[in-house]
Amino acid sequence: MPKMQPPRGTRDFLPREMNRRQYIIDTARRVFESFGFEPLDTPAFESWELLSAKGGGGEEIKNEIYYFKDKSNRELGLRFDLTVPLARVVANNPQMQKPFKKYQAGKVWRYDRPQAGRMREFLQMDPDVVGTSEMDADAECIAVAVETLKRLGFKRFEVRLNNRKILNGLTEFVKIPPKSSADVFRILDKLEKVPRNEITRGLKKTGIGSSKITKLMKLIEIRGKPSETLPKIGKFLGGIKKAEEGLSELKKIYELSKAYGFDKYILIDFSMVRGLDYYTGPIFEITTRTRKEVGSVAGGGRYDNLIELYGGRETPATGISLGIERIYEIMDSENMFDVPASNTTVFIVSVKKEIRKNVLEISQELRKGGINTETDLTGRDLRKQLDYANRKQIPYALIVGPKELKSGKFTLKDMRTGRETALTLGGVAKKVN
Amino acid sequence: MPKMQPPRGTRDFLPREMNRRQYIIDTARRVFESFGFEPLDTPAFESWELLSAKGGGGEEIKNEIYYFKDKSNRELGLRFDLTVPLARVVANNPQMQKPFKKYQAGKVWRYDRPQAGRMREFLQMDPDVVGTSEMDADAECIAVAVETLKRLGFKRFEVRLNNRKILNGLTEFVKIPPKSSADVFRILDKLEKVPRNEITRGLKKTGIGSSKITKLMKLIEIRGKPSETLPKIGKFLGGIKKAEEGLSELKKIYELSKAYGFDKYILIDFSMVRGLDYYTGPIFEITTRTRKEVGSVAGGGRYDNLIELYGGRETPATGISLGIERIYEIMDSENMFDVPASNTTVFIVSVKKEIRKNVLEISQELRKGGINTETDLTGRDLRKQLDYANRKQIPYALIVGPKELKSGKFTLKDMRTGRETALTLGGVAKKVN
C-alpha cells in the first residue's frame, strides 16, 4: 500500500481551499491585465546549467533545489523562481517588442525546511517589465502588487524599499572587501528580529572596525516614511556616486508612488537586503502588518544584468513576485475570504429515477442560461439528494417530479432559509441569477 | 553562457499563444463548473511508491517518468497523469462527501520521444466523479468534455466507446492466458493504422490459434454507430457474464447520451484499448475528424479499484482527461481562435513627460471603469508610443497632453481604422467598453 500523504513540504488543495486560492489567482490576473501585463508560461524544470549560472542561482543553489537527470543524462532542476526562466525567454527571443510586460503564474520549488508560510512547492505570480531602465517600471510593478492586495481586502501593509546600489555603495564607503559584503548584508537583514548589540557583535566578527560599524549602523537605522528619511540620508552616502544614484532612484519611485496612490504604504528600510544575487537596483518587499511572522507576501526588484548574463542583449528589467500561499494563509486566518463554498448554484432533486432524461434536459437548459447546475448521479432518494446539496452548501434545490413536469411549475427551495417557491424554469433562472 | 532553449520536450508559451491557451483553460473551467465540478490541486511530484504501485503506473513506468530523489533520499517522480494523484487524495480523505465531483487543471510529465502532439510536459484538465458506480457518472464526464469542445468551436469529432469488461471477457471467451492479453490488446489497438493481415499475423505470433483469431477479429470489426452495433454484438460475447455486463453499461451510456445530446458523436470501437492499467469498465476517447494524426484530444474511463489499491475504502470512480496542447494545436491549425492578440484595450499616449502624474491618474480612472489600460513606461516620444501600441495590437490609443488636460477632451484613436474622436473620459469609457 503506497503512501497516501503528499510528499513532504507539499500539500493538496481540496475544493473549498482551491476555490479560495482560485479567487486570489483570478483577482491577481485581472489586476495584472488591467495594467497591460500579458500572460507567459515556461516549463516546470530548466537545465541545471541555467539554474546554477553565476548571477542567477549560482552553484550553491544545488542544496536548495530539486535536481535530477533525465534518461539521456541531461542535468535538470525544478525552477526555484520565475525570474530566471523569464530572463531565459527574453534572451532566447530578442525579437520581442520592448517594453515586454508579462506576468507568469506558476509553481516553484525549493528544498527548504518546511515551516509556516514556507512550503517546498508554492505558487508565485510575477508581473515583470523588461526593456526599460526608467523607474516608472519599478513603480508600476509595486503599484500592481499593491492594487492586487487592496482588491483582495488587505488594508494594513508596508512596502519596504531599498536599493542594491546604496548597499553596494555603502560597503564601498566603509571599505568592506566585496567578498565579506554578502556576510554583512546577511547580518543587517536580521535587524528587525535580533537585538542591536547582537548585530554589532556579528559585524565585528566579519572583521570590520568599530568606526565602520558605527557608520553602517547609523544609515541602517534611518528607517521610516520616505518624506522623513529620504532628505536625511544623502550625507551618509559619503559622496559615493553609485549610492547617490540609488538614492535618486528611490526618490523617483516615491514621486511616482503618489500618482499611483501607494506612497502612504512606503517604508524606507536600508536593512532590507533580499536573498537572491541577481538584483542590481531598487529592491522591494511587501509585508502585512497583521501577520508579520508569515514573512513578506510580495518581493522583487530590478535585475539589469541577468538577461545579458544568459547570452541575451543588454536588457534592463524589473519585477515583483506575489506569494500566493502566504496571501492565502493570512486571508484565511483573518477571515478575509468572501468566496462561496461551492461554485454550483442549483441542485436538481429528482423525485424518481424514471424521469432522468427530463432532469438532464432541464439541467442543460439552466446551464445555457449561465446557471451552474448539478444533478444526482447516484439514483438515491429525495432526502439523500437534499442532504447532499445541503452539505455541499449549494444555495438552491430544484425539485422535479412527474407532477412538476406536467404543470411546468417547479419547487425552488432556498437551502439557506428553507423557503420554497413554485416557479417556471424561466422564473428559476431569474430568481437565482 | 547557459542554454537559452527550454529543456528538450518542453516549450515556452509567449503572450499571444498563452492568451489563446488561457482561453481554452477558462472555457473548460466554466463548462466543468456549470456541471457542478469543483477545483482540486495536487503537487507536481509524488512518491515513487505511489507512482509505481501495481494497478497504477506499475514498476515499468520508471522508463516513462522523470524520477529523482530529494536530499533526504526520498524517491519521487513527476506525476504522469492526474488520476493517480486524485485517487491518492480520495484514499487519504475518506471524510469527503460522495459523489465527489472535481476537476484538476495541471501539468503532467512523460519521458516520451517528443513528436507532433506529444510533448514531455503537457497540460491536462480532468473532470472526475468519485463514489458512484452508476453509468450516469461516465456519461456526464463524456458530456462535459463534448460540451467543452463544442464551446471551443469543434464541430466534427467522434466519441469512441469500449469497455474493459468486454475486452477482458473476450480474452476469457477465446481462452487467451491473462499474461498474453496485454500483448493482444496492444495489437488490436493498431487496427486503424495497419492492414488487417498484419493484425492477424501479430496475433498468431502471440500463440493464439486461428479459430480464436477469427472470433476476435469478428468482434473487433463491428465498429460504428451504437444503434447499429450494440444490438448485434451480444452473440459474439459467448455468454461470458462480465462481457455482457460491459455491454449493458455501454447501452446505458448510449441511452443517457441522448438526453445529454452527444449520441450522434458516439462510435462503438472494440479495438480501442487505452494504455493505462487502471481501467475497469467503460473507456472513452474523443478524436477530431479534421486532424487525426494529432491523436485523441480527450480520453478516460472508469477505474473502480484504484482508490482501494491505494489503501482507501472501496470507491468506484470515473473520469476523462482533456489534452490542452492537442486541442490548442488543432484550433491553431484550423484557425479556430477568436482571441484578441492583446488583453489591453487602451494605450495612453503621453504628449510630454511632464504630465506623467496626470497620465497615471487617468489610467487609474479608466481601470476603475474596468478598462485594461497601459501607459508608456519608457519616456519615449509620441510616434514611438503609437508604434508600440500598434505593434501590440492594442485597439485604442488615447492622446493626452497639456491642452487635453485643460479642456477635459481627449483624442481617442481607433488603431484599426485610424479614426479619431474627441471625447471626455466618461465618453472614452462608454466608447471602448
Side-chain angles (χ1 to χ4, degrees):
Chain A
M1 194 175 87
K3 284 197 197 86
M4 297 194 291
Q5 302 295 330
R8 186 164 156 78
T10 70
R11 53 164 297 182
D12 300 317
F13 291 88
L14 299 187
R16 180 175 168 278
E17 297 156 316
M18 195 54 198
N19 273 325
R20 292 167 161 214
R21 199 172 181 229
Q22 198 64 56
Y23 165 76
I24 300 174
I25 298 167
D26 290 344
T27 302
R29 247 178 87 189
R30 234 170 304 142
V31 172
F32 294 179
E33 292 188 356
S34 81
F35 280 82
F37 290 82
E38 307 271 354
L40 175 81
D41 191 46
T42 63
F45 50 79
E46 296 281 353
S47 71
W48 165 243
E49 197 186 347
L50 180 84
L51 295 175
S52 63
K54 222 178 149 256
E59 278 286 340
E60 63 279 11
I61 203 79
K62 203 166 195 164
N63 298 320
E64 291 169 40
I65 69 164
Y66 289 88
Y67 163 92
F68 54 99
K69 289 181 181 172
D70 75 7
K71 321 277 177 218
S72 305
N73 255 347
R74 285 184 197 91
E75 291 184 276
L76 301 167
L78 294 179
R79 63 185 175 196
F80 59 84
D81 76 354
L82 300 174
T83 306
V84 165
L86 167 66
R88 177 186 55 69
V89 169
V90 176
N92 198 21
N93 294 276
Q95 82 289 356
M96 282 192 309
Q97 218 202 337
K98 306 290 181 328
F100 176 52
K101 288 174 75 171
K102 74 84 213 171
Y103 70 89
Q104 205 175 343
K107 288 183 175 179
V108 302
W109 296 267
R110 288 189 202 166
Y111 196 74
D112 272 331
R113 174 191 290 276
Q115 50 182 287
R118 199 177 292 272
M119 296 290 285
R120 287 180 177 169
E121 173 179 86
F122 51 102
L123 183 67
Q124 293 194 326
M125 288 185 75
D126 287 28
D128 286 86
V129 181
V130 174
T132 175
S133 42
E134 297 292 326
M135 287 303 113
D136 298 76
D138 304 79
E140 183 144 304
C141 289
I142 301 170
V144 166
V146 165
E147 182 61 30
T148 304
L149 291 171
K150 283 164 90 173
R151 203 75 71 86
L152 290 170
F154 285 88
K155 288 191 175 72
R156 303 174 63 212
F157 47 85
E158 280 162 358
V159 176
R160 273 150 209 271
L161 279 188
N162 194 4
N163 196 312
R164 279 281 174 96
K165 288 178 182 165
I166 295 178
L167 288 170
N168 291 331
L170 202 69
T171 54
E172 202 178 304
F173 178 48
V174 297
K175 297 196 180 63
I176 299 166
K179 71 181 182 62
S180 311
S181 62
D183 292 332
V184 172
F185 290 157
R186 207 169 305 121
I187 294 163
L188 297 181
D189 204 23
K190 291 188 192 132
L191 191 65
E192 261 215 346
K193 290 156 216 152
V194 304
R196 216 189 123 169
N197 57 4
E198 209 169 296
I199 297 283
T200 49
R201 209 178 310 136
L203 289 172
K204 265 178 198 155
K205 269 189 197 157
T206 69
I208 315 172
S210 35
S211 72
K212 287 180 183 177
I213 290 177
T214 313
K215 270 187 193 170
L216 258 181
M217 292 302 285
K218 263 192 186 147
L219 183 96
I220 293 300
E221 283 174 351
I222 306 173
R223 304 166 77 231
K225 300 214 156 294
S227 56
E228 292 156 15
T229 51
L230 289 176
K232 273 196 275 185
I233 63 165
K235 61 180 175 205
F236 292 94
L237 301 180
I240 304 276
K241 218 183 142 206
K242 203 192 288 170
E244 282 174 350
E245 198 180 300
L247 174 60
S248 123
E249 288 177 355
L250 291 188
K251 285 179 176 167
K252 274 186 202 153
I253 292 177
Y254 177 51
E255 276 317 302
L256 289 160
S257 75
K258 294 176 192 167
Y260 279 112
F262 68 85
D263 50 310
K264 59 175 172 293
Y265 304 112
I266 297 180
L267 185 77
I268 302 293
D269 180 356
F270 296 109
S271 75
M272 193 262 294
V273 169
R274 290 197 62 71
L276 286 157
D277 268 359
Y278 47 62
Y279 295 115
T280 57
I283 45 178
F284 14 94
E285 224 169 71
I286 306 183
T287 43
T288 65
R289 290 218 212 145
T290 36
R291 291 282 309 277
K292 282 201 176 169
E293 76 283 11
V294 174
S296 59
V297 292
R302 183 163 276 279
Y303 49 98
D304 281 349
N305 299 336
L306 196 58
I307 293 157
E308 203 181 352
L309 270 168
Y310 291 166
R313 296 180 191 154
E314 196 184 327
T315 313
T318 185
I320 196 164
S321 181
L322 277 82
I324 303 305
E325 271 77 8
R326 289 184 177 181
I327 292 173
Y328 179 97
E329 201 179 314
I330 297 170
M331 288 183 70
D332 192 37
S333 72
E334 303 281 317
N335 285 314
M336 287 166 67
F337 282 111
D338 184 22
V339 177
S342 169
N343 290 318
T344 310
T345 308
V346 172
F347 184 89
I348 303 185
V349 175
S350 176
V351 172
K352 54 195 292 192
K353 244 187 145 177
E354 290 67 27
I355 55 163
R356 179 77 185 137
K357 195 166 190 288
N358 309 87
V359 166
L360 284 177
E361 281 159 1
I362 291 172
S363 75
Q364 294 286 64
E365 198 158 323
L366 291 177
R367 281 179 203 121
K368 263 185 207 149
I371 300 162
N372 292 352
T373 305
E374 193 172 335
T375 68
D376 174 50
L377 298 176
T378 65
R380 54 193 170 189
D381 69 24
L382 190 140
R383 178 186 294 275
K384 279 187 184 150
Q385 291 178 52
L386 274 170
D387 187 49
Y388 170 84
N390 189 39
R391 277 166 196 257
K392 233 187 125 178
Q393 298 182 50
I394 298 172
Y396 295 100
L398 186 72
I399 318 248
V400 175
K403 206 179 58 177
E404 286 83 359
L405 287 167
K406 213 176 237 173
S407 71
K409 284 244 180 180
F410 304 88
T411 304
L412 184 74
K413 181 173 180 171
D414 186 321
M415 299 296 281
R416 294 155 299 190
T417 63
R419 221 174 115 173
E420 301 188 347
T421 330
L423 292 165
T424 61
L425 275 192
V428 170
K430 251 182 228 155
K431 175 89 179 175
V432 306
N433 250 341
Chain B
M1 195 175 87
K3 284 199 196 85
M4 296 194 290
Q5 302 294 330
R8 184 163 158 79
T10 70
R11 53 165 298 185
D12 300 318
F13 291 87
L14 300 187
R16 181 175 167 277
E17 297 156 317
M18 194 54 198
N19 273 325
R20 291 167 160 214
R21 198 171 181 231
Q22 197 64 56
Y23 166 74
I24 299 174
I25 297 168
D26 290 344
T27 302
R29 248 179 85 189
R30 235 170 304 140
V31 173
F32 294 179
E33 293 187 357
S34 81
F35 281 83
F37 289 83
E38 306 272 354
L40 175 81
D41 191 47
T42 64
F45 50 79
E46 296 280 354
S47 72
W48 165 244
E49 198 187 346
L50 180 84
L51 296 175
S52 62
K54 222 180 147 250
E59 279 285 341
E60 64 278 13
I61 203 80
K62 202 166 195 164
N63 298 320
E64 290 169 39
I65 69 164
Y66 289 88
Y67 164 93
F68 54 99
K69 289 181 182 172
D70 75 6
K71 320 277 176 217
S72 304
N73 256 345
R74 284 184 197 90
E75 290 185 276
L76 301 167
L78 294 178
R79 62 183 174 197
F80 59 85
D81 76 354
L82 300 175
T83 307
V84 166
L86 168 66
R88 177 186 57 68
V89 169
V90 176
N92 198 21
N93 294 274
Q95 82 289 356
M96 282 192 311
Q97 219 202 334
K98 306 291 179 331
F100 176 52
K101 290 174 74 170
K102 73 83 214 172
Y103 70 89
Q104 205 174 343
K107 289 183 175 178
V108 302
W109 296 268
R110 287 189 202 166
Y111 196 74
D112 272 330
R113 174 191 290 275
Q115 50 181 288
R118 200 177 289 273
M119 298 289 285
R120 288 182 177 168
E121 173 180 85
F122 51 103
L123 183 67
Q124 292 194 328
M125 288 184 77
D126 287 27
D128 287 85
V129 180
V130 175
T132 175
S133 41
E134 298 293 326
M135 287 302 113
D136 298 75
D138 304 78
E140 183 144 307
C141 289
I142 302 170
V144 166
V146 165
E147 182 62 29
T148 303
L149 291 171
K150 283 165 91 174
R151 203 75 73 85
L152 290 170
F154 285 88
K155 288 190 176 70
R156 302 174 63 212
F157 48 84
E158 279 161 359
V159 176
R160 273 149 209 270
L161 280 188
N162 194 2
N163 195 313
R164 279 281 172 97
K165 288 178 183 166
I166 295 178
L167 288 171
N168 291 330
L170 203 67
T171 54
E172 203 179 300
F173 177 49
V174 297
K175 298 197 179 63
I176 299 166
K179 70 181 185 58
S180 310
S181 63
D183 292 333
V184 171
F185 291 158
R186 207 170 305 119
I187 294 163
L188 297 181
D189 203 23
K190 290 188 193 134
L191 190 66
E192 262 216 345
K193 291 157 213 149
V194 304
R196 216 192 124 169
N197 57 2
E198 209 168 295
I199 298 281
T200 49
R201 209 178 309 136
L203 288 173
K204 266 179 199 156
K205 268 191 198 155
T206 68
I208 314 173
S210 34
S211 72
K212 288 180 183 178
I213 290 177
T214 313
K215 271 186 192 170
L216 258 182
M217 292 303 286
K218 263 193 188 145
L219 184 95
I220 294 301
E221 283 174 352
I222 307 175
R223 304 164 78 232
K225 301 214 156 292
S227 55
E228 292 156 16
T229 52
L230 289 177
K232 272 196 276 184
I233 64 167
K235 61 180 171 198
F236 292 95
L237 301 180
I240 304 276
K241 219 184 141 207
K242 204 192 287 170
E244 283 174 351
E245 197 179 301
L247 175 59
S248 123
E249 289 177 354
L250 291 188
K251 285 179 178 168
K252 275 187 201 151
I253 293 177
Y254 177 53
E255 275 317 302
L256 289 161
S257 75
K258 294 176 193 166
Y260 280 112
F262 67 83
D263 50 311
K264 58 177 172 290
Y265 305 112
I266 297 180
L267 186 77
I268 301 293
D269 181 355
F270 296 109
S271 75
M272 192 260 294
V273 169
R274 290 197 64 70
L276 286 157
D277 267 357
Y278 48 62
Y279 295 114
T280 57
I283 45 178
F284 14 95
E285 226 171 67
I286 307 183
T287 42
T288 65
R289 289 218 214 144
T290 35
R291 291 283 307 279
K292 284 203 176 168
E293 75 283 11
V294 174
S296 60
V297 293
R302 183 164 276 278
Y303 48 98
D304 281 348
N305 299 337
L306 196 58
I307 293 157
E308 203 182 351
L309 271 169
Y310 291 167
R313 297 182 192 155
E314 196 186 327
T315 313
T318 185
I320 195 165
S321 180
L322 277 84
I324 303 305
E325 272 76 9
R326 290 185 177 180
I327 292 173
Y328 180 97
E329 202 181 310
I330 296 170
M331 289 184 69
D332 192 38
S333 72
E334 303 281 316
N335 285 315
M336 287 166 65
F337 283 112
D338 184 23
V339 177
S342 169
N343 289 318
T344 310
T345 308
V346 172
F347 184 90
I348 304 185
V349 175
S350 175
V351 172
K352 54 196 289 194
K353 243 188 145 175
E354 290 67 25
I355 56 161
R356 179 75 184 138
K357 197 168 188 293
N358 307 86
V359 166
L360 284 178
E361 281 160 0
I362 290 171
S363 74
Q364 293 285 63
E365 200 159 322
L366 290 177
R367 279 178 206 122
K368 262 184 210 151
I371 300 161
N372 292 352
T373 305
E374 192 172 335
T375 68
D376 174 50
L377 298 176
T378 66
R380 53 193 170 188
D381 69 24
L382 190 140
R383 177 185 294 277
K384 279 188 183 149
Q385 291 177 54
L386 274 170
D387 187 49
Y388 169 84
N390 189 40
R391 278 168 195 257
K392 232 188 126 176
Q393 298 181 51
I394 298 172
Y396 294 99
L398 185 72
I399 314 225
V400 175
K403 208 180 56 178
E404 285 83 0
L405 287 167
K406 214 177 233 171
S407 71
K409 285 243 179 182
F410 303 88
T411 305
L412 183 74
K413 182 172 180 171
D414 185 322
M415 300 296 282
R416 294 154 298 189
T417 62
R419 219 173 116 173
E420 301 187 348
T421 329
L423 291 166
T424 61
L425 276 193
V428 170
K430 251 183 233 157
K431 175 91 179 171
V432 306
N433 251 340

